[in-house]
Structures are given as C-alpha cells and as structure tokens.
Amino acid sequence: MNKKLFKVLVTSLFFVFAFCLNKSQAQNLLDLTGWTVGSGTSGIFTMNGQASENVREWGEGPNGNRVILWKAQPDGTSNADGGWNTQAFPIIHTNMYRFSVWLRKTNSNSGASYFGCRNVSTLSSVVTSNPYFWQGDLPQLNKWYLLVGYIHGSGDTSIINYGGLYDGLSGAKVADAVDYKFEDGTTTSVHRAYLFNDPNLNDRQYFYAPRVDLVNGNEPSLSELLGLQNLMSDQAYFAGKVGIKTANPGDYDLAVNGKIRSKEVKVEAANWPDYVFQNGYKSMPLPELKKFIATNKHLPEIPSAKEVELKGVSLGEMNKLLVKKIEELTLMFIDQYEQSKKQSEQINELKSEIANLKEN
C-alpha cells in the first residue's frame, strides 16, 4: 500500500474513532429502555410508592413535544407518592457527573419534591446517607423546571455548588442546588426523584428525561437540555430587564439610550377611538376648543411640549389620541360641508327669488 494512502487511512480511522468515543461519552448513562407506557417498576427504574402511584403515559413535554411522562399520583396515604430509585450504575470516582431531570407539579403544593443520588459525601467530605441535590416546592405550579445536580470527583477540592433549578421557558436559573462528591473507592451511584408526603388525591407530579452525564466537555450543554440550543440563532431569552447603553432600565423591560432603526414596529393598543363615529358622541364645540388652545397652547388630551420633553410619549397611546383628533376633525369637516351645502342651496333659492322679482 502507498505510504501516503496508508497515512490518510490511519488519520481517517483515528478521527472516526475519536468521534465515536466522544459520542459514546456524551450518551446518557441511564438505560431508558424501560421508559415505556405502563405503571409501577420498569427497567432500571424502581417505583417509589405503589404501582397505582407511578404511571407512565403520553403527554406534553417541556418543549411542547409529545413524549412519555412518568406521573406521580398520590393515593392519599401521604408517604412515598411516586417517582423512582434507579438501579445502581457504574461510575469512576475521580470523574465529575451531572444528574438532571425535568419536573412539573400541578394542582397544589402539598407534599414535597425530591431530587437526589446515592453513595456520596458533602463537598467538605462528610458522608451523607440521604443526599438530595434539591427538595421542596417547585417555584410555580403547572410549569416545567429542569433540575440539575453535580457530583464532583473524589480528588476535587472545590466547594462551589454548580447545580440549580432552571425555568423551562426562559432558561433562567431560579434556585440553587447542593453539589456532592465521590469518596475514594466509590464504584456506583443512583439517580432518584420523588414526590413524598402528599395527601392530596388531585395532585400530580410529572417527571421527564432523567439523565446522568459524564462531565468531560462532550456532554450536552444546559442550553441543549433546556431545548434552547436550536433557538439561539433566532431568539434570545432574558429573564430580567435589558438596558442598551444604559445601566438603569427603570420601569422598562427594554431601555435604549440611543437610536433605533427598524423596518417595522408593532404596538398593541386597546380601545381604538372609533367610538368617535358612534351616535351620541359629542366633540368639544369650536368656541370652547378655541378658548382651550388660547389658554393651554396645545390640543385637549394631547400632552404639552414640556410634558413630552420630561416624560417622552407612549407610541400606542399617542397614536390613539392622534387618530381620535383626526376623526373629530373629519366630523367637523363633514359638518362644515353639510352647512356649506345647505347655505349654497339657500343662496340659490334667494337668487332665484330675486331673479323672479326683477322679471316681474
């Protein structure tokens, strides 16, 4: 074989191997083959509570897609009310792992949600027998949240917690979570997520997409897990107010200290002033309007130059006022036209009478 061709072949095989390795490392470490429609324990997921409290069914996921959800539905005994412990899966204790799951609670905040792991210690190396990345009530009912927790490698001396709860719509981090670390010699861990101590028979908690990823740079980004990655080129999400060339947006969601150029600006407005054309509407008589302008130096309802300079104007409100004035002015023109037409007819009648008198 030609040496040059051999070198190209070896290089190509290397990149194929590297690509496959990266893809395998980026795979979810949890076996989801048991994530099928049904109830109770399935695959590696051992139910928490009774089979009737653990139902897998089709529903709407965090990104609006049709997916299989794990539904916790309490039976009223207020103890273990749904969710799972996975079977133990192998880990390498020197590596960092990221655990995640989507949760949505409906109806009430009775009971509490839990998201945790096993076989870890705190970041300060205190062994804990019942570790939870997060527990409590989700920030809002009937809304999806991505829960993320990290287990640091055994040799990691960091005491920084990276986990948290993320808003499924905006992608914003809305709460912190607790990180853990592996001790030397640890070989397995467990992914667990529950609903506990909920006596309300009408409550439901939905779980979706449990994952465990090796953190090595090949794992899906949080944006990808949140489903925002494909939207990045078209949309940006901001959880708070935005100021451009200003550090103080004030009461505005977007404040720009400069010029804005756009092909189109759409402003939503209610109570558009077509009521001016309804029967019974009366605009200000011209003598009163004349007096108002002489006194105030601006039209009624229209802000003065000083007010505009101090406060600016609302485009939607100003457009409504301008349309209202145009409609009132149009009615005045129509009224003047009718009066003028009537006067012309009267003048023509008088001219005809005068002509008749002259002939006689």
Side-chain angles (χ1 to χ4, degrees):
M1 180 182 291
N2 183 293
K3 286 187 176 181
K4 185 175 181 180
L5 179 60
F6 178 78
K7 184 176 181 180
V8 171
L9 180 60
V10 170
T11 302
S12 299
L13 289 173
F14 172 79
F15 280 114
V16 169
F17 174 77
F19 175 78
C20 293
L21 179 61
N22 286 342
K23 293 298 286 184
S24 67
Q25 289 176 332
Q27 289 178 352
N28 187 358
L29 299 184
L30 299 181
D31 181 0
L32 297 183
T33 55
W35 197 269
T36 55
V37 172
S39 62
T41 295
S42 181
I44 68 167
F45 297 90
T46 302
M47 65 181 179
N48 175 64
Q50 303 302 311
S52 62
E53 296 176 298
N54 292 274
V55 177
R56 291 174 303 282
E57 63 185 19
W58 286 98
E60 186 174 297
N63 298 310
N65 298 327
R66 199 77 177 159
V67 296
I68 295 178
L69 306 176
W70 188 299
K71 180 175 70 176
Q73 49 185 28
D75 63 4
T77 56
S78 188
N79 44 34
D81 295 308
W84 64 78
N85 295 283
T86 68
Q87 295 173 5
F89 53 86
I91 56 91
I92 299 174
H93 66 81
T94 54
N95 292 332
M96 174 184 276
Y97 292 83
R98 182 183 67 196
F99 287 50
S100 60
V101 68
W102 285 92
L103 293 186
R104 176 168 69 95
K105 181 82 185 297
T106 63
N107 190 60
S108 86
N109 282 321
S110 296
S113 305
Y114 291 82
F115 171 45
C117 55
R118 290 287 190 196
N119 307 337
V120 295
S121 65
T122 66
L123 293 182
S124 56
S125 298
V126 177
V127 175
T128 176
S129 60
N130 194 26
Y132 291 109
F133 299 114
W134 178 86
Q135 58 184 327
D137 294 329
L138 295 172
Q140 285 183 242
L141 291 172
N142 202 30
K143 186 174 185 179
W144 282 107
Y145 292 91
L146 177 66
L147 280 64
V148 179
Y150 290 86
I151 303 180
H152 299 217
S154 56
D156 189 348
T157 58
S158 171
I159 57 172
I160 298 175
N161 295 282
Y162 298 109
L165 272 68
Y166 293 84
D167 187 301
L169 293 177
S170 68
K173 187 177 184 180
V174 294
D176 292 325
V178 177
D179 286 6
Y180 294 95
K181 68 185 295 184
F182 290 122
E183 292 292 317
D184 288 339
T186 304
T187 59
T188 63
S189 190
V190 169
H191 186 293
R192 54 195 187 128
Y194 313 132
L195 175 64
F196 250 100
N197 299 323
D198 190 341
N200 195 321
L201 292 171
N202 295 317
D203 283 1
R204 299 291 182 268
Q205 180 163 293
Y206 296 90
F207 307 78
Y208 176 63
R211 289 187 66 93
V212 175
D213 291 289
L214 173 64
V215 178
N216 64 354
N218 296 313
E219 71 279 6
S221 67
L222 286 179
S223 293
E224 289 174 312
L225 293 185
L226 287 160
L228 303 179
Q229 187 69 23
N230 294 331
L231 304 177
M232 287 305 212
S233 60
D234 298 322
Q235 301 180 38
Y237 293 83
F238 301 94
K241 298 178 179 180
V242 177
I244 298 177
K245 297 172 72 174
T246 175
N248 183 21
D251 294 330
Y252 302 98
D253 292 322
L254 172 63
V256 181
N257 182 20
K259 299 178 180 179
I260 298 176
R261 179 177 177 176
S262 174
K263 289 185 178 181
E264 182 179 351
V265 176
K266 184 176 181 180
V267 179
E268 296 180 358
N271 197 29
W272 200 248
D274 285 349
Y275 54 80
V276 170
F277 296 134
Q278 298 296 323
N279 293 333
Y281 179 82
K282 293 183 179 180
S283 57
M284 183 179 290
L286 285 175
E288 292 183 26
L289 179 59
K290 179 181 178 181
K291 184 178 179 181
F292 183 93
I293 293 173
T295 303
N296 299 284
K297 308 304 181 187
H298 62 85
L299 287 172
E301 301 178 282
I302 302 296
S304 66
K306 187 174 182 180
E307 288 178 293
V308 172
E309 186 176 344
L310 289 174
K311 302 178 181 179
V313 294
S314 167
L315 291 179
E317 188 63 27
M318 181 55 68
N319 274 308
K320 283 166 52 178
L321 291 173
L322 292 176
V323 169
K324 181 179 180 181
K325 297 307 172 186
I326 290 172
E327 290 178 347
E328 289 177 340
L329 184 59
T330 301
L331 288 178
M332 289 180 187
F333 275 128
I334 292 173
D335 185 57
Q336 290 297 315
Y337 168 76
E338 294 294 337
Q339 290 186 34
S340 176
K341 182 180 177 182
K342 187 175 182 180
Q343 289 172 352
S344 295
E345 291 173 351
Q346 290 174 342
I347 290 172
N348 289 333
E349 289 177 3
L350 289 172
K351 284 181 177 180
S352 179
E353 291 178 4
I354 293 171
N356 289 334
L357 288 173
K358 286 183 177 180
E359 289 178 0
N360 296 329

